[in-house]
Amino acid sequence: LIGRRRVVVIGAGFAGLECTKVLAGTEVDVTIVDRNNFHTFSALLYQVATAELAPGDVGFPVRGLFHRAPNVGVRRGTVRGVDWDGRRVLFDDGEDLPFDVLVVAAGATTNWFGVEGAAEHAFPLYGMGDAMHLRNRILSAFEAADADPASVGDGHLTMTVVGGGPTGVEMAGALVELFAVEEKDFPDLDVSAARVVLLEARDSLLGSFSGKARQHALDELRARGVDVRLDTAVARVDHDGVTLRSGECIPSRTVIWCAGTEASPLATTLGLPTGKGGRVEVGPDLRVPGWPDVFAVGDLAAIADGGDGFLPQLAPVAQQAGRFAGREILRSLRGEAPRRFHYRDLGTMATIGRRAAAADLRFGIRLTGTLGWLAWLVLHLWRILGVRNRAAVLLTWAWNYVTWDRGNRLIVAATDPRPSTD
Amino acid sequence: LIGRRRVVVIGAGFAGLECTKVLAGTEVDVTIVDRNNFHTFSALLYQVATAELAPGDVGFPVRGLFHRAPNVGVRRGTVRGVDWDGRRVLFDDGEDLPFDVLVVAAGATTNWFGVEGAAEHAFPLYGMGDAMHLRNRILSAFEAADADPASVGDGHLTMTVVGGGPTGVEMAGALVELFAVEEKDFPDLDVSAARVVLLEARDSLLGSFSGKARQHALDELRARGVDVRLDTAVARVDHDGVTLRSGECIPSRTVIWCAGTEASPLATTLGLPTGKGGRVEVGPDLRVPGWPDVFAVGDLAAIADGGDGFLPQLAPVAQQAGRFAGREILRSLRGEAPRRFHYRDLGTMATIGRRAAAADLRFGIRLTGTLGWLAWLVLHLWRILGVRNRAAVLLTWAWNYVTWDRGNRLIVAATDPRPSTD
């Protein structure tokens, strides 16, 4: 008697979730594993950090997705390794999980690029906890300045965003809009002293976008008051601010790190072969070369782009790769030969703020301004998981747009006054 | 030249907020002070703890309330004392704030009633942070049981609620409804092993309610599976559970303390005369006797009920007392004589769950079941601050009611991987 094939998917991000959805209702047993009990719609984390959306708007309970799929299990846990001989995933709570096929979709982590002091003093924006912590920090900076206005001069209200990719551009634009709300909140404070500095080491923002999009982002951010500095590399981050490679210091108590990611250290922990950025260079069928039953997908994987580079670490790549891996598992069960993964590029977009966004779509369609912004809104609403979250986000966006308000500007964290009792 | 009178209101709970609203737009300068930058609609905190509502639904940014009142300032800060000679409120960040009139509305804190181990092992439910922490704890208990089903026997899924007042009753009822969602979330777990125990030292639940309401709460909770134990006092709480005064042990890893509150220690810190429960016994005009420019309102104050007792620590009492104090300040400015505060009792209500609540209203109207529940819903929606929060709560309640879902069941906290840089 041969049992059903057991698939374990590590990570409930875009890649792991799509893979599991393909396998739901099929003849394999799947367990999806994540540290959190929810999927994070990470494209909107910067809106949590800037009090535009609530954490619950961009987090979706994973178990809820699979209530009707009896072949899918969910395990909240932190993977500490894999027993390859015994074919078991090992958790840090001592438990384990057997598998026949493993899909590693553990994502990425912040890449500090070795910049001195960055890991200690800059704020990352990769997970929900990061976004909530950053929100508390940004809002607290205004509270502290209001309590002691004399402190405003030395960078308390200067927020420096490092990295001019989509996340950095969106973060900088959202901060400026938050400042407009803070101006109403703090009538006694000179909020015009609050500044956003956006640092980009290369010669343009949104490096991977079209020329039109890059120019639009630069023009719009500058028009909205962001101090955008191109060709500007960071040498050091400390308690007081950022020191540039030119030697210039920018006093700034809040430094937000949007400079890039590197693959989750789990790839190395598992002993998988890794390349640039710690990513696992997979074959054209997304299997790890030499490991026929192991797939790597999402930000953790490096997938050749057909030329001499790799596909970017974007949500659509992760989703398509996840779906492909799921289908590939089913194909191999039926004895079919492996196929090649082809990425279908649907375009990229980044929003700058109210009625300003840059969207490079298919067929050479380049939208900016209001049209780009509407395209961005519709696409993001459509991509958010679940009717409830979609309705909540739509309601909040409409409210914020009409009232220029940010109802989610609560400084709040779970408090535990007592020692852990677990 | 005599400047404008400066009023400082300590606390942005029900009492402090209502007082400040009365003073907004008048000829005094007001500053409202709170540890948080938001007001908490504390009547619904148990719904945050049971993943029914999101924290942002029951929290409202205080500053937003006073955008159009130039005479109202908001200060987020923790009060560490008052310099009575210099007439300044002192903050723990070293700053201070001058006042002519002080309104102390600092609320209450959990009363552990000296029960051994309670403060270390039981979970309070008085502030937003408590509610979020408890939510994470409850949801994590199911995750942990799912990861290691062998552990379920020893109280991991037994939640004990201590105290059968409105908060305890509402908490117990909401937990049972959450269990129904968890049953769908954890198909491999025997969720029927999850239990709610409600302990009440006296001989009935909802002691201050009518006989009909008390019986309804007891019947409904028992029908829904809550193990209600009356005349049952707690002797000790430890890591493994609760020990009753009878000597019986209830294995229970999650003990929720709804047994009562005592006045904020600030009353003592400020040197105000305190009585039973640490509350400040105020005069009929809500001034602290002997301190003509100091009012005490809300849960921190003890207001004579006309007989030989005091008014209960309820939101309506706090709101009416806050409004009265605000008006009294304006009256004294105009040279009018102090008046007497009269509490207008509009009734009390507690919800048990879907279509079950007990409402004791005016004119002897006693509603239970669906009618009581509808009355509860309408009243609470109406009382929540702000159009946005009201719409969000209505949307979420409707969604939860129709789908039997709890979209907010995220285990999440702000994460700060680095040492504090402030």
Side-chain angles (χ1 to χ4, degrees), chain A residues 352-389:
Chain A
I352 293 121
R354 292 173 87 86
R355 304 177 69 172
D360 289 348
L361 305 178
R362 305 190 80 188
F363 315 117
I365 299 172
R366 313 260 176 262
L367 302 177
T368 54
T370 304
L371 271 183
W373 181 73
L374 285 172
W376 183 93
L377 283 179
V378 170
L379 185 93
H380 280 74
L381 266 181
W382 174 67
R383 283 173 60 203
I384 292 170
L385 275 179
V387 176
R388 193 198 71 92
N389 287 41

mmCIF file of all heavy atoms in Angstrom, chain A residues 352-389:
data_model
loop_
_atom_site.group_PDB
_atom_site.id
_atom_site.type_symbol
_atom_site.label_atom_id
_atom_site.label_comp_id
_atom_site.label_asym_id
_atom_site.label_seq_id
_atom_site.Cartn_x
_atom_site.Cartn_y
_atom_site.Cartn_z
ATOM 1 N N ILE A 352 2.796 57.138 -6.267
ATOM 2 C CA ILE A 352 3.529 58.209 -5.601
ATOM 3 C C ILE A 352 2.634 58.879 -4.563
ATOM 4 O O ILE A 352 3.092 59.348 -3.532
ATOM 5 C CB ILE A 352 4.050 59.243 -6.632
ATOM 6 C CG1 ILE A 352 5.117 58.580 -7.506
ATOM 7 C CG2 ILE A 352 4.627 60.456 -5.958
ATOM 8 C CD1 ILE A 352 4.796 58.587 -8.966
ATOM 9 N N GLY A 353 1.338 58.880 -4.823
ATOM 10 C CA GLY A 353 0.406 59.499 -3.882
ATOM 11 C C GLY A 353 -0.905 59.760 -4.581
ATOM 12 O O GLY A 353 -1.217 59.127 -5.587
ATOM 13 N N ARG A 354 -1.664 60.669 -4.014
ATOM 14 C CA ARG A 354 -2.972 61.034 -4.578
ATOM 15 C C ARG A 354 -2.842 61.321 -6.054
ATOM 16 O O ARG A 354 -2.173 62.257 -6.464
ATOM 17 C CB ARG A 354 -3.515 62.285 -3.904
ATOM 18 C CG ARG A 354 -3.899 62.117 -2.476
ATOM 19 C CD ARG A 354 -4.263 63.461 -1.872
ATOM 20 N NE ARG A 354 -5.667 63.795 -2.086
ATOM 21 C CZ ARG A 354 -6.650 63.399 -1.297
ATOM 22 N NH1 ARG A 354 -6.399 62.637 -0.251
ATOM 23 N NH2 ARG A 354 -7.883 63.746 -1.540
ATOM 24 N N ARG A 355 -3.526 60.560 -6.867
ATOM 25 C CA ARG A 355 -3.602 60.774 -8.298
ATOM 26 C C ARG A 355 -2.247 60.867 -8.977
ATOM 27 O O ARG A 355 -2.070 61.606 -9.957
ATOM 28 C CB ARG A 355 -4.459 62.017 -8.589
ATOM 29 C CG ARG A 355 -5.833 61.871 -7.959
ATOM 30 C CD ARG A 355 -6.700 63.082 -8.151
ATOM 31 N NE ARG A 355 -7.082 63.220 -9.553
ATOM 32 C CZ ARG A 355 -7.975 64.106 -9.983
ATOM 33 N NH1 ARG A 355 -8.556 64.911 -9.138
ATOM 34 N NH2 ARG A 355 -8.275 64.168 -11.243
ATOM 35 N N ALA A 356 -1.296 60.129 -8.466
ATOM 36 C CA ALA A 356 0.013 60.081 -9.114
ATOM 37 C C ALA A 356 0.592 58.685 -8.956
ATOM 38 O O ALA A 356 0.775 58.211 -7.837
ATOM 39 C CB ALA A 356 0.963 61.117 -8.521
ATOM 40 N N ALA A 357 0.838 58.028 -10.068
ATOM 41 C CA ALA A 357 1.469 56.721 -10.046
ATOM 42 C C ALA A 357 2.086 56.502 -11.414
ATOM 43 O O ALA A 357 1.755 57.196 -12.383
ATOM 44 C CB ALA A 357 0.451 55.621 -9.740
ATOM 45 N N ALA A 358 2.997 55.546 -11.470
ATOM 46 C CA ALA A 358 3.613 55.194 -12.752
ATOM 47 C C ALA A 358 3.332 53.722 -13.005
ATOM 48 O O ALA A 358 3.595 52.883 -12.147
ATOM 49 C CB ALA A 358 5.113 55.447 -12.699
ATOM 50 N N ALA A 359 2.760 53.428 -14.156
ATOM 51 C CA ALA A 359 2.438 52.044 -14.500
ATOM 52 C C ALA A 359 2.983 51.744 -15.887
ATOM 53 O O ALA A 359 2.622 52.398 -16.862
ATOM 54 C CB ALA A 359 0.927 51.835 -14.461
ATOM 55 N N ASP A 360 3.886 50.764 -15.947
ATOM 56 C CA ASP A 360 4.387 50.272 -17.237
ATOM 57 C C ASP A 360 3.666 48.962 -17.505
ATOM 58 O O ASP A 360 3.981 47.940 -16.901
ATOM 59 C CB ASP A 360 5.899 50.017 -17.177
ATOM 60 C CG ASP A 360 6.684 51.314 -17.103
ATOM 61 O OD1 ASP A 360 6.089 52.382 -17.325
ATOM 62 O OD2 ASP A 360 7.898 51.240 -16.829
ATOM 63 N N LEU A 361 2.706 48.993 -18.410
ATOM 64 C CA LEU A 361 1.904 47.795 -18.653
ATOM 65 C C LEU A 361 2.363 47.086 -19.924
ATOM 66 O O LEU A 361 3.373 47.445 -20.529
ATOM 67 C CB LEU A 361 0.427 48.184 -18.732
ATOM 68 C CG LEU A 361 -0.076 48.960 -17.500
ATOM 69 C CD1 LEU A 361 -1.527 49.342 -17.662
ATOM 70 C CD2 LEU A 361 0.111 48.136 -16.230
ATOM 71 N N ARG A 362 1.598 46.097 -20.321
ATOM 72 C CA ARG A 362 1.965 45.339 -21.522
ATOM 73 C C ARG A 362 1.731 46.186 -22.772
ATOM 74 O O ARG A 362 1.102 47.226 -22.716
ATOM 75 C CB ARG A 362 1.102 44.079 -21.630
ATOM 76 C CG ARG A 362 1.181 43.215 -20.400
ATOM 77 C CD ARG A 362 0.522 41.883 -20.651
ATOM 78 N NE ARG A 362 1.418 41.013 -21.390
ATOM 79 C CZ ARG A 362 1.069 39.829 -21.889
ATOM 80 N NH1 ARG A 362 -0.165 39.398 -21.761
ATOM 81 N NH2 ARG A 362 1.942 39.087 -22.528
ATOM 82 N N PHE A 363 2.217 45.688 -23.874
ATOM 83 C CA PHE A 363 2.012 46.322 -25.176
ATOM 84 C C PHE A 363 2.485 47.781 -25.170
ATOM 85 O O PHE A 363 1.946 48.632 -25.862
ATOM 86 C CB PHE A 363 0.527 46.262 -25.592
ATOM 87 C CG PHE A 363 -0.101 44.914 -25.365
ATOM 88 C CD1 PHE A 363 -1.158 44.749 -24.483
ATOM 89 C CD2 PHE A 363 0.387 43.776 -26.041
ATOM 90 C CE1 PHE A 363 -1.726 43.504 -24.271
ATOM 91 C CE2 PHE A 363 -0.191 42.538 -25.828
ATOM 92 C CZ PHE A 363 -1.241 42.391 -24.944
ATOM 93 N N GLY A 364 3.490 48.061 -24.361
ATOM 94 C CA GLY A 364 4.051 49.407 -24.367
ATOM 95 C C GLY A 364 3.169 50.489 -23.762
ATOM 96 O O GLY A 364 3.429 51.678 -23.938
ATOM 97 N N ILE A 365 2.119 50.090 -23.031
ATOM 98 C CA ILE A 365 1.239 51.100 -22.426
ATOM 99 C C ILE A 365 1.915 51.673 -21.189
ATOM 100 O O ILE A 365 2.292 50.937 -20.278
ATOM 101 C CB ILE A 365 -0.129 50.482 -22.046
ATOM 102 C CG1 ILE A 365 -0.825 49.952 -23.287
ATOM 103 C CG2 ILE A 365 -0.997 51.520 -21.327
ATOM 104 C CD1 ILE A 365 -2.087 49.160 -22.999
ATOM 105 N N ARG A 366 2.098 52.991 -21.203
ATOM 106 C CA ARG A 366 2.735 53.662 -20.065
ATOM 107 C C ARG A 366 1.760 54.672 -19.491
ATOM 108 O O ARG A 366 1.448 55.655 -20.147
ATOM 109 C CB ARG A 366 3.992 54.417 -20.516
ATOM 110 C CG ARG A 366 4.926 53.627 -21.413
ATOM 111 C CD ARG A 366 6.086 53.089 -20.628
ATOM 112 N NE ARG A 366 6.946 52.257 -21.447
ATOM 113 C CZ ARG A 366 6.892 50.922 -21.468
ATOM 114 N NH1 ARG A 366 5.999 50.270 -20.740
ATOM 115 N NH2 ARG A 366 7.725 50.226 -22.211
ATOM 116 N N LEU A 367 1.286 54.414 -18.282
ATOM 117 C CA LEU A 367 0.341 55.342 -17.666
ATOM 118 C C LEU A 367 1.020 56.081 -16.527
ATOM 119 O O LEU A 367 1.757 55.489 -15.738
ATOM 120 C CB LEU A 367 -0.878 54.580 -17.121
ATOM 121 C CG LEU A 367 -1.672 53.740 -18.127
ATOM 122 C CD1 LEU A 367 -2.795 52.996 -17.419
ATOM 123 C CD2 LEU A 367 -2.227 54.603 -19.243
ATOM 124 N N THR A 368 0.754 57.374 -16.446
ATOM 125 C CA THR A 368 1.241 58.145 -15.297
ATOM 126 C C THR A 368 0.086 59.000 -14.789
ATOM 127 O O THR A 368 -0.996 58.997 -15.361
ATOM 128 C CB THR A 368 2.429 59.048 -15.689
ATOM 129 O OG1 THR A 368 2.039 59.860 -16.795
ATOM 130 C CG2 THR A 368 3.655 58.240 -16.066
ATOM 131 N N GLY A 369 0.343 59.724 -13.694
ATOM 132 C CA GLY A 369 -0.664 60.644 -13.160
ATOM 133 C C GLY A 369 -1.931 59.934 -12.731
ATOM 134 O O GLY A 369 -1.885 58.820 -12.192
ATOM 135 N N THR A 370 -3.068 60.560 -12.983
ATOM 136 C CA THR A 370 -4.350 60.037 -12.512
ATOM 137 C C THR A 370 -4.670 58.671 -13.117
ATOM 138 O O THR A 370 -5.139 57.767 -12.418
ATOM 139 C CB THR A 370 -5.487 61.025 -12.840
ATOM 140 O OG1 THR A 370 -5.164 62.293 -12.266
ATOM 141 C CG2 THR A 370 -6.803 60.545 -12.267
ATOM 142 N N LEU A 371 -4.387 58.517 -14.398
ATOM 143 C CA LEU A 371 -4.680 57.237 -15.047
ATOM 144 C C LEU A 371 -3.850 56.108 -14.439
ATOM 145 O O LEU A 371 -4.352 55.020 -14.157
ATOM 146 C CB LEU A 371 -4.390 57.325 -16.550
ATOM 147 C CG LEU A 371 -5.542 57.795 -17.435
ATOM 148 C CD1 LEU A 371 -5.115 57.762 -18.893
ATOM 149 C CD2 LEU A 371 -6.761 56.891 -17.222
ATOM 150 N N GLY A 372 -2.572 56.387 -14.244
ATOM 151 C CA GLY A 372 -1.704 55.383 -13.629
ATOM 152 C C GLY A 372 -2.172 55.043 -12.225
ATOM 153 O O GLY A 372 -2.175 53.884 -11.800
ATOM 154 N N TRP A 373 -2.616 56.065 -11.523
ATOM 155 C CA TRP A 373 -3.067 55.891 -10.144
ATOM 156 C C TRP A 373 -4.331 55.029 -10.091
ATOM 157 O O TRP A 373 -4.450 54.121 -9.269
ATOM 158 C CB TRP A 373 -3.316 57.275 -9.552
ATOM 159 C CG TRP A 373 -3.763 57.318 -8.133
ATOM 160 C CD1 TRP A 373 -3.016 57.069 -7.021
ATOM 161 C CD2 TRP A 373 -5.073 57.675 -7.672
ATOM 162 N NE1 TRP A 373 -3.773 57.246 -5.894
ATOM 163 C CE2 TRP A 373 -5.042 57.618 -6.264
ATOM 164 C CE3 TRP A 373 -6.252 58.036 -8.299
ATOM 165 C CZ2 TRP A 373 -6.149 57.907 -5.474
ATOM 166 C CZ3 TRP A 373 -7.363 58.322 -7.515
ATOM 167 C CH2 TRP A 373 -7.311 58.259 -6.126
ATOM 168 N N LEU A 374 -5.258 55.309 -11.010
ATOM 169 C CA LEU A 374 -6.482 54.498 -11.056
ATOM 170 C C LEU A 374 -6.152 53.043 -11.410
ATOM 171 O O LEU A 374 -6.706 52.112 -10.819
ATOM 172 C CB LEU A 374 -7.465 55.082 -12.074
ATOM 173 C CG LEU A 374 -8.176 56.355 -11.596
ATOM 174 C CD1 LEU A 374 -8.988 56.981 -12.740
ATOM 175 C CD2 LEU A 374 -9.089 56.046 -10.412
ATOM 176 N N ALA A 375 -5.239 52.860 -12.356
ATOM 177 C CA ALA A 375 -4.833 51.507 -12.726
ATOM 178 C C ALA A 375 -4.234 50.793 -11.510
ATOM 179 O O ALA A 375 -4.532 49.630 -11.223
ATOM 180 C CB ALA A 375 -3.816 51.551 -13.867
ATOM 181 N N TRP A 376 -3.419 51.518 -10.773
ATOM 182 C CA TRP A 376 -2.786 50.962 -9.573
ATOM 183 C C TRP A 376 -3.845 50.559 -8.544
ATOM 184 O O TRP A 376 -3.808 49.461 -7.988
ATOM 185 C CB TRP A 376 -1.825 52.009 -8.994
ATOM 186 C CG TRP A 376 -1.052 51.542 -7.812
ATOM 187 C CD1 TRP A 376 0.191 50.977 -7.800
ATOM 188 C CD2 TRP A 376 -1.474 51.583 -6.436
ATOM 189 N NE1 TRP A 376 0.563 50.667 -6.529
ATOM 190 C CE2 TRP A 376 -0.430 51.029 -5.669
ATOM 191 C CE3 TRP A 376 -2.614 52.023 -5.793
ATOM 192 C CZ2 TRP A 376 -0.512 50.906 -4.282
ATOM 193 C CZ3 TRP A 376 -2.700 51.900 -4.412
ATOM 194 C CH2 TRP A 376 -1.651 51.350 -3.670
ATOM 195 N N LEU A 377 -4.804 51.456 -8.297
ATOM 196 C CA LEU A 377 -5.863 51.177 -7.315
ATOM 197 C C LEU A 377 -6.640 49.920 -7.676
ATOM 198 O O LEU A 377 -6.842 49.025 -6.853
ATOM 199 C CB LEU A 377 -6.849 52.354 -7.250
ATOM 200 C CG LEU A 377 -6.439 53.605 -6.497
ATOM 201 C CD1 LEU A 377 -7.552 54.652 -6.590
ATOM 202 C CD2 LEU A 377 -6.159 53.286 -5.041
ATOM 203 N N VAL A 378 -7.103 49.870 -8.916
ATOM 204 C CA VAL A 378 -7.931 48.751 -9.351
ATOM 205 C C VAL A 378 -7.149 47.454 -9.250
ATOM 206 O O VAL A 378 -7.625 46.449 -8.711
ATOM 207 C CB VAL A 378 -8.433 48.989 -10.796
ATOM 208 C CG1 VAL A 378 -9.092 47.734 -11.344
ATOM 209 C CG2 VAL A 378 -9.392 50.174 -10.822
ATOM 210 N N LEU A 379 -5.919 47.471 -9.750
ATOM 211 C CA LEU A 379 -5.134 46.248 -9.733
ATOM 212 C C LEU A 379 -4.873 45.767 -8.306
ATOM 213 O O LEU A 379 -4.981 44.573 -8.007
ATOM 214 C CB LEU A 379 -3.789 46.466 -10.444
ATOM 215 C CG LEU A 379 -3.019 45.157 -10.531
ATOM 216 C CD1 LEU A 379 -3.302 44.458 -11.849
ATOM 217 C CD2 LEU A 379 -1.527 45.351 -10.337
ATOM 218 N N HIS A 380 -4.546 46.702 -7.415
ATOM 219 C CA HIS A 380 -4.230 46.275 -6.047
ATOM 220 C C HIS A 380 -5.474 45.780 -5.308
ATOM 221 O O HIS A 380 -5.416 44.800 -4.580
ATOM 222 C CB HIS A 380 -3.513 47.389 -5.287
ATOM 223 C CG HIS A 380 -2.056 47.458 -5.630
ATOM 224 N ND1 HIS A 380 -1.606 47.967 -6.834
ATOM 225 C CD2 HIS A 380 -0.950 47.037 -4.978
ATOM 226 C CE1 HIS A 380 -0.286 47.872 -6.879
ATOM 227 N NE2 HIS A 380 0.143 47.306 -5.765
ATOM 228 N N LEU A 381 -6.585 46.462 -5.514
ATOM 229 C CA LEU A 381 -7.828 45.991 -4.889
ATOM 230 C C LEU A 381 -8.162 44.586 -5.357
ATOM 231 O O LEU A 381 -8.585 43.732 -4.592
ATOM 232 C CB LEU A 381 -8.984 46.918 -5.254
ATOM 233 C CG LEU A 381 -9.286 48.031 -4.283
ATOM 234 C CD1 LEU A 381 -10.469 48.828 -4.788
ATOM 235 C CD2 LEU A 381 -9.580 47.471 -2.895
ATOM 236 N N TRP A 382 -7.966 44.356 -6.637
ATOM 237 C CA TRP A 382 -8.301 43.077 -7.237
ATOM 238 C C TRP A 382 -7.386 41.972 -6.704
ATOM 239 O O TRP A 382 -7.808 40.834 -6.512
ATOM 240 C CB TRP A 382 -8.182 43.221 -8.762
ATOM 241 C CG TRP A 382 -8.362 41.957 -9.526
ATOM 242 C CD1 TRP A 382 -9.509 41.227 -9.646
ATOM 243 C CD2 TRP A 382 -7.362 41.284 -10.283
ATOM 244 N NE1 TRP A 382 -9.275 40.139 -10.439
ATOM 245 C CE2 TRP A 382 -7.970 40.145 -10.844
ATOM 246 C CE3 TRP A 382 -6.009 41.536 -10.555
ATOM 247 C CZ2 TRP A 382 -7.269 39.253 -11.650
ATOM 248 C CZ3 TRP A 382 -5.324 40.652 -11.355
ATOM 249 C CH2 TRP A 382 -5.956 39.524 -11.891
ATOM 250 N N ARG A 383 -6.116 42.346 -6.422
ATOM 251 C CA ARG A 383 -5.162 41.333 -6.005
ATOM 252 C C ARG A 383 -5.264 40.983 -4.521
ATOM 253 O O ARG A 383 -4.774 39.936 -4.097
ATOM 254 C CB ARG A 383 -3.732 41.801 -6.301
ATOM 255 C CG ARG A 383 -3.364 41.677 -7.780
ATOM 256 C CD ARG A 383 -2.006 42.311 -8.031
ATOM 257 N NE ARG A 383 -0.965 41.671 -7.236
ATOM 258 C CZ ARG A 383 0.182 42.242 -6.903
ATOM 259 N NH1 ARG A 383 0.445 43.476 -7.283
ATOM 260 N NH2 ARG A 383 1.079 41.605 -6.181
ATOM 261 N N ILE A 384 -5.867 41.863 -3.722
ATOM 262 C CA ILE A 384 -5.965 41.582 -2.280
ATOM 263 C C ILE A 384 -6.847 40.365 -2.048
ATOM 264 O O ILE A 384 -7.893 40.212 -2.665
ATOM 265 C CB ILE A 384 -6.545 42.804 -1.536
ATOM 266 C CG1 ILE A 384 -5.539 43.953 -1.575
ATOM 267 C CG2 ILE A 384 -6.899 42.456 -0.091
ATOM 268 C CD1 ILE A 384 -6.112 45.250 -1.075
ATOM 269 N N LEU A 385 -6.427 39.511 -1.130
ATOM 270 C CA LEU A 385 -7.155 38.277 -0.851
ATOM 271 C C LEU A 385 -8.439 38.553 -0.102
ATOM 272 O O LEU A 385 -8.453 39.277 0.889
ATOM 273 C CB LEU A 385 -6.295 37.373 0.039
ATOM 274 C CG LEU A 385 -5.283 36.489 -0.658
ATOM 275 C CD1 LEU A 385 -4.529 35.715 0.402
ATOM 276 C CD2 LEU A 385 -5.944 35.554 -1.632
ATOM 277 N N GLY A 386 -9.517 37.957 -0.545
ATOM 278 C CA GLY A 386 -10.718 37.916 0.285
ATOM 279 C C GLY A 386 -11.633 39.121 0.122
ATOM 280 O O GLY A 386 -11.177 40.264 0.005
ATOM 281 N N VAL A 387 -12.911 38.847 0.142
ATOM 282 C CA VAL A 387 -13.919 39.889 -0.029
ATOM 283 C C VAL A 387 -13.849 40.898 1.123
ATOM 284 O O VAL A 387 -13.929 42.108 0.926
ATOM 285 C CB VAL A 387 -15.326 39.254 -0.092
ATOM 286 C CG1 VAL A 387 -16.403 40.325 -0.179
ATOM 287 C CG2 VAL A 387 -15.414 38.309 -1.272
ATOM 288 N N ARG A 388 -13.688 40.376 2.340
ATOM 289 C CA ARG A 388 -13.698 41.259 3.498
ATOM 290 C C ARG A 388 -12.549 42.259 3.447
ATOM 291 O O ARG A 388 -12.733 43.456 3.645
ATOM 292 C CB ARG A 388 -13.608 40.446 4.796
ATOM 293 C CG ARG A 388 -13.911 41.232 6.046
ATOM 294 C CD ARG A 388 -13.387 40.519 7.282
ATOM 295 N NE ARG A 388 -11.934 40.556 7.337
ATOM 296 C CZ ARG A 388 -11.237 41.505 7.963
ATOM 297 N NH1 ARG A 388 -11.842 42.470 8.601
ATOM 298 N NH2 ARG A 388 -9.918 41.493 7.954
ATOM 299 N N ASN A 389 -11.326 41.756 3.206
ATOM 300 C CA ASN A 389 -10.177 42.653 3.156
ATOM 301 C C ASN A 389 -10.333 43.668 2.033
ATOM 302 O O ASN A 389 -9.991 44.837 2.186
ATOM 303 C CB ASN A 389 -8.883 41.852 2.955
ATOM 304 C CG ASN A 389 -8.477 41.089 4.192
ATOM 305 O OD1 ASN A 389 -9.323 40.518 4.867
ATOM 306 N ND2 ASN A 389 -7.199 41.086 4.509
#
